[in-house]
Amino acid sequence: MREGLIERYREHLPFEPGDRVVSLLEGSTPLLEAPLLSERVGAEVYLKLEGANPTGSFKDRGMTCAVSAALREGAEAVICASTGNTAASAAAYAARAGIRCAVIVPDGKIAMGKLAQALMHGAQVVALQGNFDMALTMVRELADSYPIALVNSVHEFRLAGQKTAAFEVVDDLGDAPDVLAVPVGNAGNITAYWRGFSEMGTAPRMFGFQAEGAAPLVLGHEVEHPETLASAIRIGRPARGVEAMQAVQESDGAIMDAYRFMAVREGMFCEPASSAAVAGLLKYGHGGAQRVVCVMTGRGLKDQQTAMEHHGGTIIPCEPEMAALVQAVLG
Ligand code: F0G
């Protein structure tokens, strides 16, 4: 039987046998070779397919831990600020646990699929007329004053869960890659990978990619009004600072090119934020690495609107007649 990541990695996680575990069988995601991307980058590139997690993003790794820990502490409700994926994941795990969930999202700035997920799982969805950074500041304050467990990646259990992705990469490759490329928003995930690799006694170089309009770690200062098409990483004030990271920024144009390249050439439909890491690799290269792992943090289907606006294809209308069909198909 397949097991969730708390069962699989219990000796590395702060849970005891007998603790109630809330799991949707997250983790154990595929590591896929990317031949065309490898050719363009000039190194062996593998994709860590985190969109294969139950709610379609890497957030489920942290959420199984955060919600299980919240239950253990007797919480009856969880809350998070989110650009969408954390909200979807928190809502799903809270539903599974039978507790309430509130998600605070920047109004009008989250992908529709993620919003649909949060609503379907029965979360209380609050659309804040402000950005993610404001939402996070406010939920932190709220969670300090009321009996609601905060499940953002400022929560240690989130990082504990997310570090297991590094264990899986080392298991699958037999060793750590030379470089790990990952999109960065709040910098929780890159911090978690670094921890995971460190606990395995390895130290790959960490390449963190931010979108040009939302690149506080590259610029070295906060960005008050972050803007990018990659809405998942529209964050101007990351909650986690990171060591051991090289951060670069990529333009929305290059991110959209990488987004299409991955879908058209590699058959991998990821969300725009994930393709920020691919865009960065294509622009800055492998940095002398032989083996690179690029983390595909979320599934493309979550953000159909961006896909429909940037696919570059056409839809051919057709009358229900054979001649018209032949014309439409063969041109
Ligand atoms: N990729 C995707 C698809 C994300 O949803 C996020 C973050 C990141 C990358 C960046 O990860 O914040 O740990 O550096 N999404 C958060 C959310 C902010 O609310 O879903 P990070």
Side-chain angles (χ1 to χ4, degrees), residues 20-321:
R20 187 174 156 205
V21 166
V22 185
S23 173
L24 292 166
L25 298 189
E26 57 295 311
S28 305
T29 59
L31 189 70
L32 178 73
E33 283 177 50
L36 286 141
L37 184 59
S38 297
E39 200 181 299
R40 278 189 62 183
V41 171
E44 265 172 66
V45 183
Y46 297 83
L47 308 173
K48 180 68 173 156
L49 302 185
E50 289 293 279
N53 276 299
T55 74
S57 87
F58 70 97
K59 305 288 182 180
D60 296 344
R61 292 182 184 276
M63 212 51 78
T64 181
C65 292
V67 172
S68 299
L71 272 193
R72 189 168 63 185
E73 288 152 21
E76 286 169 12
V78 293
I79 190 167
C80 64
S82 179
T83 56
N85 281 326
T86 300
S89 185
Y93 282 81
R96 184 83 180 178
I99 59 177
R100 292 176 56 202
C101 174
V103 304
I104 319 300
V105 299
D107 189 18
K109 295 290 186 182
I110 89 165
M112 199 61 80
K114 303 172 187 179
L115 190 57
Q117 287 179 287
L119 290 166
M120 276 303 293
H121 290 302
Q124 201 164 334
V125 177
V126 179
L128 188 78
Q129 273 136 44
N131 60 31
F132 170 84
D133 303 293
M134 297 172 197
L136 183 59
T137 307
M138 291 175 74
V139 292
R140 290 178 85 157
E141 209 178 304
L142 193 124
D144 280 345
S145 321
Y146 296 89
I148 307 182
L150 182 68
V151 294
N152 276 105
S153 61
V154 293
H155 195 305
E156 278 306 311
F157 281 92
R158 282 277 312 275
L159 296 201
Q162 285 174 212
K163 76 183 177 188
T164 60
F167 299 162
E168 292 173 15
V169 166
V170 172
D171 265 0
D172 285 347
L173 289 179
D175 197 355
D178 303 303
V179 161
L180 185 94
V182 61
V184 170
N186 241 339
N189 204 31
I190 198 166
T191 306
Y193 268 97
W194 178 248
R195 261 190 217 177
F197 285 123
S198 302
E199 286 180 23
M200 302 286 277
T202 65
R205 284 159 68 202
M206 310 294 282
F207 286 6
F209 296 98
Q210 301 204 288
E212 194 170 53
L217 294 167
V218 181
L219 301 170
H221 60 76
E222 295 176 358
V223 176
E224 202 184 337
H225 301 293
E227 276 312 333
T228 170
L229 287 172
S231 61
I233 51 172
R234 186 172 168 271
I235 294 177
R237 228 186 307 143
R240 295 252 172 203
V242 267
E243 318 119 53
M245 172 180 103
Q246 190 176 325
V248 289
Q249 62 182 342
E250 202 39 85
S251 70
D252 273 5
I255 292 171
M256 288 300 121
D257 287 346
Y259 181 51
R260 280 188 298 267
F261 174 82
M262 291 307 285
V264 174
R265 305 302 301 277
E266 293 286 15
M268 185 48 56
F269 184 21
C270 61
E271 64 169 289
S274 305
S275 56
V278 176
L281 267 184
L282 288 172
K283 176 158 163 195
Y284 296 97
H286 51 67
Q290 224 169 6
R291 283 199 303 195
V292 177
V293 168
C294 190
V295 185
M296 309 310 279
T297 48
R299 200 167 260 263
L301 276 174
K302 283 185 172 259
D303 188 352
Q304 298 179 14
Q305 192 177 343
T306 303
M308 290 310 289
E309 286 165 8
H310 295 270
H311 56 72
T314 47
I315 299 172
I316 305 165
C318 185
E319 298 287 328
E321 285 160 14

